[in-house]
Amino acid sequence: MSPPFRIAVLGAQGVGKTAIVQRFLHDDYSEVAVSSKTRRVHLSAAVLNGHVHDLQITDYPAISSFPVSTLQEWTDVCCRGIRSAHVYILVYDICCFDSFEYVKTMRQQILETRVMGSGETPILIVGNKRDLQRGRVIPRHSISDLVRKSWKCGYVECSAKFNWHILLLFGEALRSVGCARCKHVHATIRFQRALRRERCVLM
């Protein structure tokens, strides 16, 4: 049995990381924002183009910096497992410039601390809170051009509140890790609760 796809969800405090994960896993959303102080590991499964894929989605709290070594990673309980992710989802709030600066810094730190010989772990940049479009601080085309052309990363905008582009986001995450079955242009993804009961481990 193949190991699960390990997805690390990172971002500044309050950008909606947990809301995105909860919307994907449970189709649930709460107006009450709860600040995550610990990492949460979710074991689940998804169906993409008719094939089942086990997922390990780790929702990390806002970390001060990306660990530069395995020793530092395991010394800080909030960072455990972060360097072995198959794909990084970096979330920012489209209405908060500082949250995009956090993503910018985190991406750079990931690039600088890649494990030698491990290849390039894909990074997906996600702009959340699209439902607050009128409060956007940076034009969408400016962010998209920077991310796609300069950073060579995938880019998705979503709204956890209205469940907009949440499945698209995780579909892009799966395709980015090079899954041979995930490369169809019009791939569809859905969460399959019947295949594996979602489990959350608080660390």
Side-chain angles (χ1 to χ4, degrees), residues 117-179:
S118 65
E120 294 188 0
T121 304
I123 298 173
L124 181 63
I125 308 300
V126 176
N128 189 32
K129 305 188 182 181
R130 181 64 187 270
D131 49 288
L132 302 177
Q133 168 73 13
R134 292 184 177 181
R136 180 190 293 275
V137 293
I138 309 174
R140 184 183 186 281
H141 65 84
S142 298
I143 297 290
S144 180
D145 286 350
L146 172 66
V147 170
R148 291 192 169 117
K149 296 179 181 179
S150 298
W151 294 2
K152 307 300 182 184
C153 296
Y155 182 70
V156 175
E157 289 196 350
C158 68
S159 168
K161 182 175 182 177
F162 292 120
N163 198 16
W164 187 73
H165 279 183
I166 299 298
L167 292 182
L168 172 67
L169 187 168
F170 284 92
E172 288 295 318
L174 281 176
R175 283 189 288 273
S176 70
V177 296
C179 172

Short mmCIF file of all heavy atoms in Angstrom, two decimals, residues 117-179:
data_model
loop_
_atom_site.label_atom_id
_atom_site.label_comp_id
_atom_site.label_asym_id
_atom_site.label_seq_id
_atom_site.Cartn_x
_atom_site.Cartn_y
_atom_site.Cartn_z
N GLY A 117 18.99 16.48 -2.74
CA GLY A 117 18.65 15.22 -3.41
C GLY A 117 17.19 14.86 -3.35
O GLY A 117 16.79 13.83 -3.88
N SER A 118 16.39 15.69 -2.71
CA SER A 118 14.96 15.36 -2.57
C SER A 118 14.11 15.89 -3.72
O SER A 118 12.92 15.64 -3.78
CB SER A 118 14.43 15.93 -1.25
OG SER A 118 14.47 17.35 -1.28
N GLY A 119 14.75 16.63 -4.63
CA GLY A 119 13.99 17.24 -5.72
C GLY A 119 13.25 18.47 -5.25
O GLY A 119 13.45 18.93 -4.13
N GLU A 120 12.42 19.00 -6.10
CA GLU A 120 11.69 20.22 -5.77
C GLU A 120 10.30 19.90 -5.26
O GLU A 120 9.45 19.45 -6.01
CB GLU A 120 11.63 21.14 -6.98
CG GLU A 120 12.98 21.67 -7.43
CD GLU A 120 12.84 22.73 -8.51
OE1 GLU A 120 11.69 23.03 -8.89
OE2 GLU A 120 13.87 23.23 -8.97
N THR A 121 10.08 20.14 -3.99
CA THR A 121 8.76 19.95 -3.42
C THR A 121 7.85 21.09 -3.91
O THR A 121 8.17 22.25 -3.73
CB THR A 121 8.82 19.98 -1.88
OG1 THR A 121 9.74 19.00 -1.43
CG2 THR A 121 7.45 19.70 -1.29
N PRO A 122 6.73 20.76 -4.56
CA PRO A 122 5.85 21.81 -5.10
C PRO A 122 5.31 22.74 -4.01
O PRO A 122 5.08 22.31 -2.87
CB PRO A 122 4.71 21.01 -5.74
CG PRO A 122 5.26 19.65 -5.96
CD PRO A 122 6.23 19.41 -4.85
N ILE A 123 5.14 23.99 -4.38
CA ILE A 123 4.56 24.99 -3.49
C ILE A 123 3.35 25.60 -4.19
O ILE A 123 3.44 26.05 -5.35
CB ILE A 123 5.57 26.11 -3.16
CG1 ILE A 123 6.79 25.51 -2.42
CG2 ILE A 123 4.92 27.20 -2.31
CD1 ILE A 123 7.92 26.50 -2.20
N LEU A 124 2.22 25.60 -3.51
CA LEU A 124 0.98 26.17 -4.05
C LEU A 124 0.60 27.38 -3.21
O LEU A 124 0.45 27.26 -1.99
CB LEU A 124 -0.13 25.11 -4.01
CG LEU A 124 -1.50 25.50 -4.55
CD1 LEU A 124 -1.42 25.82 -6.04
CD2 LEU A 124 -2.50 24.36 -4.31
N ILE A 125 0.49 28.54 -3.84
CA ILE A 125 0.12 29.77 -3.14
C ILE A 125 -1.41 29.93 -3.22
O ILE A 125 -1.99 29.82 -4.30
CB ILE A 125 0.81 30.99 -3.76
CG1 ILE A 125 2.32 30.77 -3.87
CG2 ILE A 125 0.49 32.25 -2.95
CD1 ILE A 125 3.02 30.53 -2.56
N VAL A 126 -2.02 30.18 -2.07
CA VAL A 126 -3.48 30.26 -2.01
C VAL A 126 -3.93 31.57 -1.38
O VAL A 126 -3.54 31.91 -0.25
CB VAL A 126 -4.05 29.08 -1.19
CG1 VAL A 126 -5.56 29.21 -1.05
CG2 VAL A 126 -3.69 27.76 -1.84
N GLY A 127 -4.75 32.32 -2.10
CA GLY A 127 -5.35 33.54 -1.58
C GLY A 127 -6.74 33.23 -1.05
O GLY A 127 -7.65 32.92 -1.84
N ASN A 128 -6.92 33.27 0.26
CA ASN A 128 -8.22 32.95 0.86
C ASN A 128 -9.04 34.22 1.10
O ASN A 128 -8.54 35.33 0.97
CB ASN A 128 -8.00 32.20 2.18
CG ASN A 128 -9.30 31.65 2.76
OD1 ASN A 128 -10.22 31.28 2.03
ND2 ASN A 128 -9.38 31.60 4.08
N LYS A 129 -10.29 34.03 1.44
CA LYS A 129 -11.26 35.10 1.74
C LYS A 129 -11.65 35.88 0.49
O LYS A 129 -11.81 37.10 0.51
CB LYS A 129 -10.74 36.03 2.84
CG LYS A 129 -10.37 35.28 4.11
CD LYS A 129 -10.03 36.21 5.27
CE LYS A 129 -9.61 35.41 6.50
NZ LYS A 129 -9.30 36.27 7.65
N ARG A 130 -11.83 35.16 -0.62
CA ARG A 130 -12.26 35.79 -1.87
C ARG A 130 -13.63 36.44 -1.71
O ARG A 130 -14.00 37.33 -2.47
CB ARG A 130 -12.27 34.74 -2.98
CG ARG A 130 -12.66 35.26 -4.36
CD ARG A 130 -11.68 36.28 -4.89
NE ARG A 130 -12.17 36.88 -6.12
CZ ARG A 130 -11.94 36.41 -7.35
NH1 ARG A 130 -11.23 35.30 -7.49
NH2 ARG A 130 -12.42 37.02 -8.40
N ASP A 131 -14.40 35.99 -0.71
CA ASP A 131 -15.71 36.59 -0.46
C ASP A 131 -15.60 38.04 0.01
O ASP A 131 -16.58 38.79 -0.01
CB ASP A 131 -16.47 35.77 0.59
CG ASP A 131 -15.63 35.49 1.83
OD1 ASP A 131 -14.71 34.67 1.73
OD2 ASP A 131 -15.90 36.08 2.89
N LEU A 132 -14.38 38.45 0.42
CA LEU A 132 -14.12 39.83 0.84
C LEU A 132 -13.36 40.59 -0.24
O LEU A 132 -12.50 41.42 0.04
CB LEU A 132 -13.34 39.84 2.16
CG LEU A 132 -14.00 39.12 3.34
CD1 LEU A 132 -13.09 39.15 4.56
CD2 LEU A 132 -15.34 39.76 3.66
N GLN A 133 -13.69 40.27 -1.48
CA GLN A 133 -13.01 40.82 -2.65
C GLN A 133 -12.83 42.33 -2.62
O GLN A 133 -11.81 42.87 -3.02
CB GLN A 133 -13.80 40.41 -3.91
CG GLN A 133 -13.42 41.09 -5.20
CD GLN A 133 -12.09 40.63 -5.76
OE1 GLN A 133 -11.54 39.62 -5.32
NE2 GLN A 133 -11.57 41.36 -6.72
N ARG A 134 -13.82 43.05 -2.12
CA ARG A 134 -13.74 44.52 -2.11
C ARG A 134 -12.64 45.05 -1.20
O ARG A 134 -12.21 46.20 -1.34
CB ARG A 134 -15.09 45.12 -1.70
CG ARG A 134 -16.19 44.89 -2.73
CD ARG A 134 -17.47 45.59 -2.35
NE ARG A 134 -18.50 45.43 -3.35
CZ ARG A 134 -19.72 45.96 -3.28
NH1 ARG A 134 -20.06 46.68 -2.20
NH2 ARG A 134 -20.60 45.77 -4.24
N GLY A 135 -12.18 44.22 -0.28
CA GLY A 135 -11.12 44.65 0.63
C GLY A 135 -9.74 44.21 0.17
O GLY A 135 -8.75 44.37 0.91
N ARG A 136 -9.63 43.70 -1.04
CA ARG A 136 -8.35 43.20 -1.55
C ARG A 136 -7.29 44.30 -1.52
O ARG A 136 -7.55 45.45 -1.91
CB ARG A 136 -8.54 42.70 -2.98
CG ARG A 136 -7.28 42.15 -3.63
CD ARG A 136 -7.50 41.91 -5.11
NE ARG A 136 -8.45 40.83 -5.35
CZ ARG A 136 -8.10 39.55 -5.37
NH1 ARG A 136 -6.85 39.19 -5.15
NH2 ARG A 136 -9.02 38.64 -5.60
N VAL A 137 -6.07 43.95 -1.08
CA VAL A 137 -5.01 44.95 -0.96
C VAL A 137 -4.03 44.94 -2.13
O VAL A 137 -3.34 45.93 -2.38
CB VAL A 137 -4.23 44.77 0.36
CG1 VAL A 137 -5.13 45.09 1.56
CG2 VAL A 137 -3.65 43.36 0.48
N ILE A 138 -3.95 43.82 -2.86
CA ILE A 138 -3.08 43.73 -4.03
C ILE A 138 -3.89 43.17 -5.18
O ILE A 138 -4.60 42.17 -5.01
CB ILE A 138 -1.87 42.81 -3.78
CG1 ILE A 138 -1.15 43.18 -2.48
CG2 ILE A 138 -0.87 42.87 -4.95
CD1 ILE A 138 -0.03 42.22 -2.11
N PRO A 139 -3.85 43.79 -6.38
CA PRO A 139 -4.62 43.28 -7.51
C PRO A 139 -4.32 41.82 -7.79
O PRO A 139 -3.17 41.37 -7.70
CB PRO A 139 -4.16 44.17 -8.68
CG PRO A 139 -3.69 45.42 -8.03
CD PRO A 139 -3.08 45.00 -6.72
N ARG A 140 -5.36 41.08 -8.13
CA ARG A 140 -5.20 39.64 -8.37
C ARG A 140 -4.18 39.36 -9.46
O ARG A 140 -3.35 38.45 -9.33
CB ARG A 140 -6.54 39.01 -8.75
CG ARG A 140 -6.47 37.50 -8.92
CD ARG A 140 -7.80 36.92 -9.38
NE ARG A 140 -7.77 35.48 -9.39
CZ ARG A 140 -7.21 34.75 -10.35
NH1 ARG A 140 -6.64 35.35 -11.39
NH2 ARG A 140 -7.22 33.43 -10.28
N HIS A 141 -4.23 40.11 -10.56
CA HIS A 141 -3.33 39.82 -11.68
C HIS A 141 -1.87 40.04 -11.29
O HIS A 141 -0.97 39.36 -11.79
CB HIS A 141 -3.70 40.66 -12.91
CG HIS A 141 -3.53 42.14 -12.73
ND1 HIS A 141 -2.31 42.77 -12.91
CD2 HIS A 141 -4.40 43.11 -12.37
CE1 HIS A 141 -2.45 44.07 -12.68
NE2 HIS A 141 -3.71 44.29 -12.34
N SER A 142 -1.63 40.99 -10.40
CA SER A 142 -0.26 41.24 -9.95
C SER A 142 0.29 40.05 -9.16
O SER A 142 1.43 39.62 -9.36
CB SER A 142 -0.20 42.50 -9.08
OG SER A 142 -0.59 43.64 -9.81
N ILE A 143 -0.54 39.53 -8.25
CA ILE A 143 -0.14 38.37 -7.46
C ILE A 143 0.03 37.15 -8.36
O ILE A 143 1.02 36.41 -8.28
CB ILE A 143 -1.17 38.06 -6.37
CG1 ILE A 143 -1.26 39.21 -5.37
CG2 ILE A 143 -0.82 36.76 -5.67
CD1 ILE A 143 -0.05 39.37 -4.50
N SER A 144 -0.95 36.92 -9.24
CA SER A 144 -0.92 35.76 -10.11
C SER A 144 0.32 35.77 -11.00
O SER A 144 0.98 34.73 -11.18
CB SER A 144 -2.19 35.73 -10.97
OG SER A 144 -2.19 34.62 -11.83
N ASP A 145 0.64 36.92 -11.58
CA ASP A 145 1.82 37.02 -12.46
C ASP A 145 3.09 36.75 -11.68
O ASP A 145 3.99 36.04 -12.16
CB ASP A 145 1.89 38.41 -13.10
CG ASP A 145 0.86 38.60 -14.20
OD1 ASP A 145 0.23 37.60 -14.59
OD2 ASP A 145 0.68 39.74 -14.66
N LEU A 146 3.21 37.33 -10.48
CA LEU A 146 4.39 37.12 -9.66
C LEU A 146 4.56 35.65 -9.31
O LEU A 146 5.65 35.08 -9.47
CB LEU A 146 4.29 37.95 -8.37
CG LEU A 146 5.37 37.69 -7.31
CD1 LEU A 146 6.73 38.14 -7.83
CD2 LEU A 146 5.03 38.40 -6.00
N VAL A 147 3.48 35.04 -8.83
CA VAL A 147 3.54 33.65 -8.37
C VAL A 147 3.81 32.69 -9.51
O VAL A 147 4.68 31.81 -9.42
CB VAL A 147 2.24 33.27 -7.63
CG1 VAL A 147 2.20 31.77 -7.35
CG2 VAL A 147 2.12 34.06 -6.34
N ARG A 148 3.10 32.84 -10.61
CA ARG A 148 3.20 31.88 -11.70
C ARG A 148 4.44 32.10 -12.57
O ARG A 148 5.11 31.13 -12.96
CB ARG A 148 1.94 31.94 -12.57
CG ARG A 148 0.69 31.41 -11.87
CD ARG A 148 -0.44 31.22 -12.85
NE ARG A 148 -1.54 30.46 -12.26
CZ ARG A 148 -2.77 30.94 -12.06
NH1 ARG A 148 -3.05 32.17 -12.43
NH2 ARG A 148 -3.70 30.20 -11.52
N LYS A 149 4.74 33.36 -12.87
CA LYS A 149 5.85 33.63 -13.80
C LYS A 149 7.20 33.73 -13.10
O LYS A 149 8.20 33.21 -13.60
CB LYS A 149 5.57 34.91 -14.57
CG LYS A 149 4.34 34.81 -15.48
CD LYS A 149 4.09 36.11 -16.22
CE LYS A 149 2.85 36.00 -17.10
NZ LYS A 149 2.55 37.28 -17.82
N SER A 150 7.25 34.40 -11.95
CA SER A 150 8.53 34.58 -11.26
C SER A 150 8.83 33.45 -10.29
O SER A 150 9.95 32.93 -10.25
CB SER A 150 8.55 35.93 -10.52
OG SER A 150 8.42 37.01 -11.43
N TRP A 151 7.83 33.09 -9.50
CA TRP A 151 8.06 32.05 -8.48
C TRP A 151 7.92 30.65 -9.04
O TRP A 151 8.38 29.69 -8.44
CB TRP A 151 7.08 32.22 -7.32
CG TRP A 151 7.28 33.46 -6.52
CD1 TRP A 151 8.19 34.46 -6.73
CD2 TRP A 151 6.53 33.84 -5.35
NE1 TRP A 151 8.07 35.44 -5.78
CE2 TRP A 151 7.06 35.09 -4.91
CE3 TRP A 151 5.49 33.26 -4.64
CZ2 TRP A 151 6.56 35.75 -3.79
CZ3 TRP A 151 4.99 33.92 -3.54
CH2 TRP A 151 5.53 35.15 -3.11
N LYS A 152 7.26 30.52 -10.20
CA LYS A 152 7.01 29.20 -10.81
C LYS A 152 6.20 28.29 -9.88
O LYS A 152 6.45 27.09 -9.77
CB LYS A 152 8.33 28.51 -11.19
CG LYS A 152 9.26 29.34 -12.05
CD LYS A 152 8.62 29.74 -13.36
CE LYS A 152 9.60 30.53 -14.22
NZ LYS A 152 8.97 31.02 -15.47
N CYS A 153 5.22 28.88 -9.21
CA CYS A 153 4.34 28.13 -8.30
C CYS A 153 2.91 28.16 -8.82
O CYS A 153 2.55 29.02 -9.62
CB CYS A 153 4.37 28.75 -6.90
SG CYS A 153 5.95 28.68 -6.05
N GLY A 154 2.11 27.22 -8.35
CA GLY A 154 0.69 27.25 -8.66
C GLY A 154 0.01 28.33 -7.84
O GLY A 154 0.48 28.72 -6.77
N TYR A 155 -1.12 28.84 -8.35
CA TYR A 155 -1.85 29.89 -7.64
C TYR A 155 -3.35 29.63 -7.72
O TYR A 155 -3.90 29.38 -8.79
CB TYR A 155 -1.53 31.27 -8.22
CG TYR A 155 -2.23 32.40 -7.49
CD1 TYR A 155 -1.86 32.74 -6.21
CD2 TYR A 155 -3.28 33.10 -8.10
CE1 TYR A 155 -2.49 33.76 -5.52
CE2 TYR A 155 -3.92 34.14 -7.42
CZ TYR A 155 -3.52 34.46 -6.14
OH TYR A 155 -4.16 35.47 -5.46
N VAL A 156 -4.02 29.67 -6.56
CA VAL A 156 -5.46 29.48 -6.48
C VAL A 156 -6.03 30.49 -5.50
O VAL A 156 -5.42 30.77 -4.46
CB VAL A 156 -5.82 28.06 -5.99
CG1 VAL A 156 -7.32 27.91 -5.78
CG2 VAL A 156 -5.32 27.00 -6.94
N GLU A 157 -7.19 31.07 -5.83
CA GLU A 157 -7.91 31.89 -4.87
C GLU A 157 -9.17 31.13 -4.47
O GLU A 157 -9.77 30.43 -5.29
CB GLU A 157 -8.26 33.26 -5.46
CG GLU A 157 -7.03 34.14 -5.62
CD GLU A 157 -7.38 35.61 -5.82
OE1 GLU A 157 -8.58 35.94 -6.01
OE2 GLU A 157 -6.45 36.44 -5.78
N CYS A 158 -9.54 31.25 -3.20
CA CYS A 158 -10.68 30.48 -2.70
C CYS A 158 -11.42 31.25 -1.61
O CYS A 158 -10.97 32.30 -1.14
CB CYS A 158 -10.21 29.14 -2.15
SG CYS A 158 -9.22 29.26 -0.64
N SER A 159 -12.55 30.70 -1.22
CA SER A 159 -13.31 31.22 -0.09
C SER A 159 -13.77 30.03 0.73
O SER A 159 -14.61 29.25 0.29
CB SER A 159 -14.53 32.02 -0.56
OG SER A 159 -15.41 32.28 0.53
N ALA A 160 -13.16 29.88 1.91
CA ALA A 160 -13.59 28.80 2.80
C ALA A 160 -15.03 29.03 3.23
O ALA A 160 -15.81 28.08 3.39
CB ALA A 160 -12.66 28.72 4.01
N LYS A 161 -15.40 30.29 3.42
CA LYS A 161 -16.74 30.62 3.89
C LYS A 161 -17.81 30.11 2.92
O LYS A 161 -18.82 29.53 3.34
CB LYS A 161 -16.88 32.13 4.08
CG LYS A 161 -18.23 32.56 4.60
CD LYS A 161 -18.26 34.05 4.89
CE LYS A 161 -19.60 34.47 5.46
NZ LYS A 161 -19.64 35.92 5.81
N PHE A 162 -17.61 30.34 1.63
CA PHE A 162 -18.61 29.95 0.63
C PHE A 162 -18.24 28.68 -0.13
O PHE A 162 -18.87 28.37 -1.14
CB PHE A 162 -18.86 31.11 -0.33
CG PHE A 162 -19.54 32.28 0.31
CD1 PHE A 162 -18.94 33.53 0.35
CD2 PHE A 162 -20.79 32.13 0.89
CE1 PHE A 162 -19.56 34.61 0.95
CE2 PHE A 162 -21.43 33.22 1.49
CZ PHE A 162 -20.82 34.45 1.52
N ASN A 163 -17.19 27.96 0.34
CA ASN A 163 -16.78 26.71 -0.28
C ASN A 163 -16.48 26.89 -1.77
O ASN A 163 -16.84 26.05 -2.60
CB ASN A 163 -17.86 25.64 -0.09
CG ASN A 163 -17.32 24.23 -0.33
OD1 ASN A 163 -16.12 24.01 -0.34
ND2 ASN A 163 -18.23 23.29 -0.55
N TRP A 164 -15.81 27.98 -2.08
CA TRP A 164 -15.49 28.31 -3.47
C TRP A 164 -14.03 27.93 -3.76
O TRP A 164 -13.11 28.43 -3.11
CB TRP A 164 -15.73 29.80 -3.72
CG TRP A 164 -15.59 30.20 -5.15
CD1 TRP A 164 -16.45 29.94 -6.17
CD2 TRP A 164 -14.51 30.96 -5.73
NE1 TRP A 164 -15.98 30.49 -7.34
CE2 TRP A 164 -14.79 31.11 -7.09
CE3 TRP A 164 -13.33 31.52 -5.21
CZ2 TRP A 164 -13.94 31.81 -7.97
CZ3 TRP A 164 -12.49 32.21 -6.06
CH2 TRP A 164 -12.80 32.35 -7.43
N HIS A 165 -13.84 27.04 -4.73
CA HIS A 165 -12.52 26.59 -5.17
C HIS A 165 -11.75 25.77 -4.12
O HIS A 165 -10.54 25.59 -4.26
CB HIS A 165 -11.65 27.79 -5.61
CG HIS A 165 -11.95 28.23 -7.00
ND1 HIS A 165 -11.25 29.24 -7.62
CD2 HIS A 165 -12.88 27.81 -7.91
CE1 HIS A 165 -11.72 29.43 -8.84
NE2 HIS A 165 -12.72 28.58 -9.03
N ILE A 166 -12.43 25.25 -3.11
CA ILE A 166 -11.74 24.43 -2.12
C ILE A 166 -11.32 23.09 -2.72
O ILE A 166 -10.17 22.65 -2.55
CB ILE A 166 -12.62 24.20 -0.87
CG1 ILE A 166 -12.95 25.55 -0.20
CG2 ILE A 166 -11.93 23.27 0.11
CD1 ILE A 166 -11.74 26.32 0.30
N LEU A 167 -12.23 22.43 -3.43
CA LEU A 167 -11.87 21.18 -4.09
C LEU A 167 -10.83 21.41 -5.17
O LEU A 167 -9.92 20.59 -5.35
CB LEU A 167 -13.11 20.51 -4.68
CG LEU A 167 -14.14 19.97 -3.68
CD1 LEU A 167 -15.28 19.29 -4.41
CD2 LEU A 167 -13.50 19.00 -2.71
N LEU A 168 -10.95 22.51 -5.89
CA LEU A 168 -9.96 22.86 -6.91
C LEU A 168 -8.58 22.97 -6.29
O LEU A 168 -7.58 22.48 -6.83
CB LEU A 168 -10.34 24.17 -7.59
CG LEU A 168 -9.30 24.76 -8.55
CD1 LEU A 168 -9.14 23.87 -9.77
CD2 LEU A 168 -9.69 26.17 -8.97
N LEU A 169 -8.51 23.61 -5.13
CA LEU A 169 -7.25 23.81 -4.42
C LEU A 169 -6.56 22.47 -4.14
O LEU A 169 -5.38 22.28 -4.46
CB LEU A 169 -7.53 24.56 -3.12
CG LEU A 169 -6.41 25.07 -2.22
CD1 LEU A 169 -7.01 26.02 -1.18
CD2 LEU A 169 -5.69 23.95 -1.49
N PHE A 170 -7.29 21.53 -3.54
CA PHE A 170 -6.68 20.26 -3.20
C PHE A 170 -6.44 19.39 -4.43
O PHE A 170 -5.51 18.57 -4.45
CB PHE A 170 -7.52 19.53 -2.14
CG PHE A 170 -7.35 20.11 -0.77
CD1 PHE A 170 -8.20 21.11 -0.31
CD2 PHE A 170 -6.31 19.69 0.05
CE1 PHE A 170 -8.02 21.67 0.95
CE2 PHE A 170 -6.12 20.24 1.31
CZ PHE A 170 -6.98 21.24 1.76
N GLY A 171 -7.24 19.58 -5.46
CA GLY A 171 -6.97 18.90 -6.72
C GLY A 171 -5.65 19.37 -7.32
O GLY A 171 -4.84 18.57 -7.80
N GLU A 172 -5.42 20.69 -7.26
CA GLU A 172 -4.15 21.24 -7.74
C GLU A 172 -2.98 20.73 -6.91
O GLU A 172 -1.89 20.46 -7.43
CB GLU A 172 -4.19 22.77 -7.69
CG GLU A 172 -5.07 23.42 -8.74
CD GLU A 172 -4.55 23.18 -10.15
OE1 GLU A 172 -3.32 23.26 -10.35
OE2 GLU A 172 -5.37 22.86 -11.02
N ALA A 173 -3.20 20.61 -5.60
CA ALA A 173 -2.14 20.11 -4.72
C ALA A 173 -1.75 18.69 -5.11
O ALA A 173 -0.57 18.35 -5.18
CB ALA A 173 -2.59 20.17 -3.26
N LEU A 174 -2.74 17.83 -5.37
CA LEU A 174 -2.45 16.46 -5.77
C LEU A 174 -1.76 16.40 -7.13
O LEU A 174 -0.78 15.67 -7.31
CB LEU A 174 -3.74 15.64 -5.82
CG LEU A 174 -4.30 15.14 -4.49
CD1 LEU A 174 -5.62 14.43 -4.72
CD2 LEU A 174 -3.32 14.21 -3.82
N ARG A 175 -2.24 17.18 -8.07
CA ARG A 175 -1.63 17.18 -9.40
C ARG A 175 -0.19 17.68 -9.35
O ARG A 175 0.66 17.24 -10.10
CB ARG A 175 -2.46 18.01 -10.37
CG ARG A 175 -3.71 17.30 -10.86
CD ARG A 175 -4.38 18.07 -11.98
NE ARG A 175 -5.02 19.28 -11.48
CZ ARG A 175 -6.26 19.33 -11.00
NH1 ARG A 175 -6.98 18.23 -10.93
NH2 ARG A 175 -6.78 20.46 -10.59
N SER A 176 0.09 18.62 -8.45
CA SER A 176 1.43 19.22 -8.39
C SER A 176 2.50 18.24 -7.95
O SER A 176 3.68 18.44 -8.23
CB SER A 176 1.42 20.43 -7.44
OG SER A 176 1.28 20.02 -6.09
N VAL A 177 2.11 17.16 -7.24
CA VAL A 177 3.11 16.20 -6.80
C VAL A 177 3.40 15.16 -7.87
O VAL A 177 4.15 14.21 -7.63
CB VAL A 177 2.70 15.51 -5.48
CG1 VAL A 177 2.62 16.51 -4.36
CG2 VAL A 177 1.40 14.75 -5.63
N GLY A 178 2.81 15.35 -9.05
CA GLY A 178 3.17 14.49 -10.18
C GLY A 178 2.49 13.15 -10.22
O GLY A 178 2.98 12.22 -10.84
N CYS A 179 1.36 13.03 -9.54
CA CYS A 179 0.62 11.77 -9.58
C CYS A 179 0.24 11.44 -11.03
O CYS A 179 -0.40 12.25 -11.70
CB CYS A 179 -0.64 11.86 -8.72
SG CYS A 179 -1.73 10.44 -8.87
#
